[in-house]
Amino acid sequence: MTPAATIPVVVREVRPVTPLIRRFTLAREDGLPLPAFSAGAHVVVVMPGAARTLRNPYSLMGTSADLSTYDIAVRLSETSRGGSRFMHEAVAPGSKLAITPPVNLFPLDKLARRHLLLCGGVGITPVSAHVRELVHGGVPFEVHCGARSIEHATLALELRAIAPDAVAIHLDTPGPTMDVEAILAEQPLGTHLYVCGPGGMIENVIATARAAGWPESHIHWERFTAPPAGKPFEVTLSRSGKRITVPPEMSLLEAIEAAGVDAPFLCRGGACGQCETTVLALDGTLLHHDVYLSADQKAAGDRIMPCVSRADCRTLVLDR
Amino acid sequence: MTTSAIKSRPIYGSLVPDPTGRHHVVVGEGPGTAPVMRLLAAPGFPEHPRHVLVAPEPASGPAGLAALSACGVAEIVPDGPSLLRRLDALLDGCRMGTRLYAAGSESFLGAVVKIAAEHGLLDDECRTEHAGSTARRVHCTHCRQVNEHVTTNLVACAGCGRTLFVRDHYSRRLAAFMGVQADAEQPGATPALQEVFP
Amino acid sequence: MTIAFKPDETYRDDFTFRNSPAAIRRFPFPFGEDVYRYAVNIEPHVRGGPTAAYDNLFDIDEHYIAECRERALVLAHDPKRCQALPHMMAAQWDTLELLMENLSTDYPEHFSLVRDGYAWHWTNRALGIEQHFVFGDAGTLPCEPLEYIGRQMQGDLTLQDQREDNLFMDAGMVTCQADWSLEFDLGMKFHEWHGPVPLAHEQGVFDRALKFLLNLQLGRPVRRLNWTMTINPRMDTSPEQYPQWGPDRTTITPENVGSRVHLRVELQSLFRLPRSNAILFGIRCYLISLEELATIPKWSRRLHRVLQTLPPELVEYKGLSRFRDTAIAWLAQRDDGAPTSVGTAPD
């Protein structure tokens, strides 16, 4: 499947939320309602960067109750490859952007008997939508938000106002920090765990849950991995007959797109498998950074997820 | 034995300890008692926390019961239905990290898995082992009667009287195989009656 | 364009269903070549295709009123043909919205939808229905949303919940199916409800199809065609009713094969639903007798050649064993061996 047609949007409002996070309110340029969506969905925002088009996924924070606008929150990344910096520095009310239709790779399990949501930092954005959906349902839920300090906890305070009994806030300063082991210890059967936050937090929560006997089917996470930078490498696209160079700061998928070749994608974070591409020839090593392919598939070297993975090679030929 | 060619049928394995679990609930009915005893004696299967419920075959006698308590069976219940009621209550108090192990007839396993699902347990938290008869529960697609303990390819439906052919299609929700009239196209033209699920 | 409905046709008893010449030309003939070849054949469900049946995402034709009446008869006899597990309510509303939006946009002479926030006003002039209701409040409709809109649609609908990296058939309205049972399959996973299909499992067809569907995107529906053959223009060939339709298969003779044997084509469409993240599976059924089909010589030639090359497992699975030879003999008289043109469209 080729990428979905994008929806032109205009930025209605930009509000600082914390020292690092800004909230953007987007509306369709033509004034029509935006597509309905389910809690946990994201859109990919297409930004007209100076040097190249930037595409970053951001979770939708509200609900389908009001489809006149979407709200997203963007944290300025210290290691920004351009996307979050563009959003913070170049986007103002009236700016024009484009978004893909919503895709949900982090939905709530509809048969869960209880929902346990853990988030850290800007990972609160999908959880914001989850909580707004859960307050209308009959299933019990519990939310734990981690933040550096109270000035970084604005979105968590918002959630606590919506569901005072269900939302706990844990601040690094003054502490105490989130005690994941204690939170996971006494959860009733049928609880589903959702975690979104920095990579280290996700890994820690998953490891703690596994150690406490949680089965994989009850553990859900979403991680928006920025594509890692690396050494430049050259790629031949056999179907389109093009030869491209992937610069250090650009992902393979972005380089393919920049060459004018349509390539499928959904998450742009190595999780969904949509951009899977067949490797036709390789002289060198694939540097897999995705969580989609199994260890065996990665070792086989016959396919790659170009949204996050790279290569250290003399030759790479892709079926694209 | 189970036939893996039936895609809609659960795959039953054999009961072995799941080291990732933190609390183990073990249930066995009738011929499922033997796999339960084997599991309890397996190396690496923790003494606790675990909870074992068994409804042994009526013919087990005092010696059989003594053997059960010797290998750590905590509760012996008179029959399958009382075991299922006990299991339901037991799971109410269980926490995440629990693993459920069940052994017995396919009807029993179907009922256990249904109760487990109602408590939110998914496939990776349940282990099942089929023991004893391969008799099938058969759901009549015409009148919706469930016919228990069917050992033949054809069965006279207890609800509508039609001769049903037992299709290799299994519904977990109904915990039953599909039965469809065998001679609908030509009355009386049924395949030969065979005992195929002894 | 106003459709000239044929409200008095029947799909049972005296079987007065017939296709007009225009309906024959718009039939979604499924075979693209002169031999049988299994293919997943999934393609984008976009407007436009080989015949007019592809002009809209949900096709309404001259049989609309008669088919809705047939559906009501099936439901009156067996209410379990429409079932939804409790967690599927959001998907039911998604379905109602998608169908009402499409019907009112594509057939404004027959349907209209006026929305004021959540206060909706639906008019179905073809069936003489007018309904004010509150979107999201099932108490304001005479029945649950899936049943409400399903009773006003041609074709079956099932709703699949997505969880555990799988799809679960957790709701549906199924009254014109080809020998499968919603009551039996409700709650099944993707591979489970496809369990009875021969050959395809081993070829990995369902593994690939599931992987594809799990990433199905909003606003980018897909479709495929499936087919079988049915005696008489009978919509309800469910396992539940097999005692009623099974005997028909023994009644085919060289004299009646042309009028009684029907090619049955399902135009299957799959939509990602927005609020529920579920998938709607539409199964729109078209029937055409061999005599009607033979008015398009390309189609009768090609059907003849396809039936000859069908693998025995599929002959058995599709229930054609008792009358395939008779159908082939009838079609052979209409196959002069001439080459057929590329594609499925009529010449």
Side-chain angles (χ1 to χ4, degrees):
Chain A
M1 234 184 268
T2 51
T6 54
I7 303 166
V9 291
V10 58
V11 178
R12 288 265 178 260
E13 218 181 324
V14 182
R15 283 168 288 171
V17 177
T18 73
L20 288 173
I21 297 174
R22 284 182 179 208
R23 185 199 307 248
F24 297 82
T25 302
L26 314 174
R28 272 177 74 128
E29 249 186 78
D30 58 16
L32 293 172
L34 288 152
F37 63 94
S38 50
H42 73 263
V43 296
V44 172
V45 177
V46 184
M47 298 161 254
R52 62 188 175 94
T53 303
L54 305 161
R55 291 181 181 83
N56 277 7
Y58 295 110
S59 298
L60 299 177
M61 297 169 69
T63 70
S64 290
D66 177 8
L67 294 171
S68 59
T69 56
Y70 283 166
D71 266 17
I72 59 171
V74 179
R75 179 184 185 276
L76 179 62
S77 163
E78 294 89 348
T79 57
S80 175
R81 299 165 48 260
S84 68
R85 186 165 305 281
F86 183 91
M87 289 298 288
H88 273 250
E89 292 172 2
V91 173
S95 296
K96 289 181 177 179
L97 299 167
I99 57 172
T100 60
V103 169
N104 198 343
L105 302 174
F106 193 42
L108 294 167
D109 187 293
K110 291 201 181 56
L111 288 187
R113 293 165 57 83
R114 181 181 179 82
H115 301 279
L116 173 64
L117 303 109
L118 272 53
C119 57
V122 77
I124 195 170
T125 52
V127 174
S128 297
H130 288 143
V131 169
R132 284 173 169 87
E133 183 164 307
L134 288 170
V135 289
H136 297 296
V139 181
F141 67 99
E142 179 181 336
V143 186
H144 295 270
C145 309
R148 291 183 191 183
S149 61
I150 198 71
E151 32 319 340
H152 289 271
T154 316
L155 293 172
L157 291 166
E158 249 179 45
L159 285 194
R160 197 164 67 180
I162 296 171
D165 299 332
V167 176
I169 301 174
H170 309 267
L171 302 176
D172 296 350
T173 314
T177 53
M178 200 185 292
D179 183 348
V180 177
E181 203 174 330
I183 292 168
L184 294 179
E186 289 299 312
Q187 295 293 338
L189 273 190
T191 304
H192 281 252
L193 169 66
Y194 309 82
V195 54
C196 188
M201 178 204 181
I202 294 177
E203 279 158 28
N204 174 46
V205 170
I206 293 173
T208 309
R210 284 179 183 150
W214 287 62
E216 299 299 320
S217 64
H218 290 248
I219 305 173
H220 314 275
W221 73 90
E222 182 157 70
R223 176 179 188 172
F224 290 114
T225 318
K231 289 197 289 182
F233 58 103
E234 291 205 338
V235 183
T236 303
L237 306 175
S238 72
R239 246 187 282 171
S240 35
K242 292 194 176 175
R243 192 166 166 78
I244 59 172
T245 301
V246 184
E249 296 297 326
M250 200 187 267
S251 74
L252 172 53
L253 176 62
E254 288 163 341
I256 293 171
E257 289 167 342
V261 176
D262 255 358
F265 67 84
L266 284 180
C267 74
R268 303 183 81 86
C272 74
Q274 184 72 5
C275 69
E276 178 175 328
T277 303
T278 302
V279 174
L280 297 173
L282 170 69
D283 176 10
T285 313
L286 298 179
L287 306 171
H288 295 288
H289 297 297
D290 64 279
V291 294
Y292 178 78
L293 296 175
S294 68
D296 286 349
Q297 289 171 326
K298 285 178 181 173
D302 59 351
R303 60 191 101 177
I304 187 167
M305 315 306 297
C307 65
V308 289
S309 299
R310 310 179 67 87
D312 181 359
C313 60
R314 276 182 296 278
T315 318
L316 174 60
V317 183
L318 297 178
D319 183 22
R320 182 68 69 202
Chain B
M1 276 306 292
T2 55
T3 319
S4 61
I6 305 174
K7 303 291 187 283
S8 51
R9 188 185 210 175
I11 294 165
Y12 308 114
S14 67
L15 297 189
V16 290
D18 178 350
T20 65
R22 288 297 168 269
H23 175 216
H24 305 268
V25 175
V26 186
V27 295
E29 181 213 33
T33 306
V36 166
M37 290 173 71
R38 200 190 64 230
L39 172 70
L40 297 181
F45 195 64
E47 284 289 330
H48 50 248
R50 71 187 192 191
H51 207 104
V52 188
L53 295 170
V54 168
E57 288 182 279
S60 317
L65 297 184
L68 283 172
S69 27
C71 69
V73 173
E75 267 187 71
I76 294 171
V77 287
D79 51 29
S82 8
L83 190 155
L84 295 173
R85 280 194 298 277
R86 270 295 293 135
L87 174 65
D88 198 18
L90 180 64
L91 291 179
D92 273 340
C94 285
R95 302 283 166 198
M96 285 306 293
T98 301
R99 295 294 180 275
L100 175 64
Y101 306 77
S105 67
E106 189 161 36
S107 295
F108 174 74
L109 297 180
V112 168
V113 169
K114 262 187 89 164
I115 290 173
E118 284 160 17
H119 286 84
L121 286 156
L122 299 175
D123 287 355
D124 55 355
E125 295 160 283
C126 303
R127 307 281 177 278
T128 49
E129 179 166 339
H130 183 241
S133 166
T134 58
R136 294 180 170 187
R137 261 182 120 232
V138 177
H139 177 261
C140 173
T141 193
H142 313 300
C143 76
R144 289 168 186 150
Q145 170 81 30
V146 173
N147 297 275
E148 297 284 352
H149 207 77
V150 175
T151 60
T152 45
N153 58 337
L154 302 174
V155 58
C157 177
C160 63
R162 290 187 174 93
T163 301
L164 303 179
F165 178 77
V166 183
R167 283 193 187 174
D168 283 344
H169 191 32
Y170 180 86
S171 160
R172 295 189 200 219
R173 187 178 67 92
L174 303 171
F177 284 84
M178 188 176 196
V180 180
Q181 186 176 346
D183 58 348
E185 300 189 11
Q186 270 188 318
T190 55
L193 182 72
Q194 288 178 309
E195 180 165 75
V196 282
F197 322 119
Chain C
M1 189 188 74
T2 302
I3 301 166
F5 296 119
K6 296 157 57 182
D8 299 325
E9 291 178 323
T10 57
Y11 295 87
R12 55 177 69 204
D13 304 324
D14 56 353
F15 296 109
T16 60
F17 169 97
R18 298 290 179 277
N19 287 300
S20 70
I24 292 172
R25 286 196 70 80
R26 71 195 306 285
F27 189 81
F29 187 73
F31 306 112
E33 35 183 356
D34 283 358
V35 292
Y36 177 78
R37 200 190 300 275
Y38 185 86
V40 181
N41 60 28
I42 295 179
E43 61 178 356
H45 189 31
V46 292
R47 289 166 196 277
T51 76
Y54 301 88
D55 283 354
N56 295 303
L57 298 187
F58 297 95
D59 181 44
I60 299 294
D61 66 14
E62 64 183 22
H63 308 298
Y64 174 74
I65 293 175
E67 192 175 328
C68 289
R69 187 183 53 246
E70 167 66 16
R71 164 163 286 205
L73 289 172
V74 173
L75 285 165
H77 177 75
D78 182 2
K80 286 198 166 183
R81 299 299 188 87
C82 182
Q83 296 194 60
L85 297 179
H87 59 280
M88 298 304 282
M89 190 49 87
Q92 291 197 44
W93 284 111
D94 275 336
T95 303
L96 176 136
E97 177 182 42
L98 180 70
L99 295 176
M100 285 187 175
E101 275 181 350
N102 274 277
L103 293 184
S104 58
T105 307
D106 294 337
Y107 308 95
E109 320 78 24
H110 302 296
F111 307 95
S112 80
L113 176 65
V114 180
R115 287 186 272 197
D116 177 11
Y118 291 124
W120 289 26
H121 177 202
W122 168 249
T123 309
N124 178 338
R125 281 176 279 276
L127 296 181
I129 293 172
E130 187 160 357
Q131 182 78 41
H132 290 272
F133 65 99
V134 177
F135 183 83
D137 180 356
T140 60
L141 285 175
C143 53
E144 290 198 348
L146 174 64
E147 177 172 352
Y148 182 78
I149 195 61
R151 282 177 176 271
Q152 302 178 48
M153 284 302 295
Q154 286 180 270
D156 288 338
L157 305 168
T158 68
L159 302 179
Q160 282 64 231
D161 188 32
Q162 183 160 336
R163 56 179 196 274
E164 299 171 47
D165 286 329
N166 212 315
L167 295 173
F168 291 77
M169 189 192 288
D170 284 345
M173 179 188 255
V174 179
T175 67
C176 51
Q177 69 267 46
D179 202 12
W180 68 276
S181 164
L182 176 69
E183 160 73 353
F184 197 78
D185 288 2
L186 189 71
M188 284 190 186
K189 294 181 195 184
F190 191 76
H191 285 70
E192 292 174 348
W193 84 71
H194 286 110
V197 182
L199 305 176
H201 286 272
E202 288 66 27
Q203 297 166 7
V205 166
F206 296 118
D207 297 334
R208 289 196 298 277
L210 175 60
K211 204 167 162 182
F212 177 83
L213 292 176
L214 289 174
N215 278 340
L216 186 67
Q217 294 170 61
L218 187 63
R220 299 170 66 76
V222 296
R223 68 178 171 228
R224 69 181 290 264
L225 296 176
N226 197 12
W227 70 278
T228 185
M229 297 179 92
T230 300
I231 309 306
N232 295 322
R234 189 191 289 276
M235 275 292 178
D236 180 10
T237 52
S238 59
E240 285 89 339
Q241 291 296 303
Y242 184 42
Q244 280 65 50
W245 57 265
D248 295 352
R249 286 179 172 167
T250 62
T251 62
I252 297 310
T253 63
E255 291 69 39
N256 67 20
V257 59
S259 61
R260 298 194 61 188
V261 171
H262 287 67
L263 178 63
R264 179 189 191 98
V265 171
E266 293 173 355
L267 200 167
Q268 305 178 339
S269 54
L270 292 137
F271 294 79
R272 172 70 66 192
L273 297 175
R275 293 174 177 80
S276 57
N277 201 40
I279 287 181
L280 168 66
F281 185 41
I283 313 159
R284 173 74 162 85
C285 174
Y286 297 83
L287 291 166
I288 191 169
S289 69
L290 295 188
E291 279 173 354
E292 289 170 344
L293 190 87
T295 63
I296 311 284
K298 168 182 171 180
W299 288 352
S300 46
R301 282 189 195 110
R302 185 167 285 168
L303 179 61
H304 172 234
R305 298 168 195 180
V306 168
L307 282 181
Q308 282 182 314
T309 53
L310 195 64
E313 295 92 335
L314 285 173
V315 173
E316 177 64 27
Y317 171 65
K318 291 177 185 284
L320 316 182
S321 309
R322 290 186 194 271
F323 57 85
R324 184 183 73 138
D325 290 348
T326 313
I328 287 176
W330 190 89
L331 290 164
Q333 298 163 27
R334 288 149 185 86
D335 184 356
D336 53 10
T340 53
S341 60
V342 174
T344 59
D347 284 331

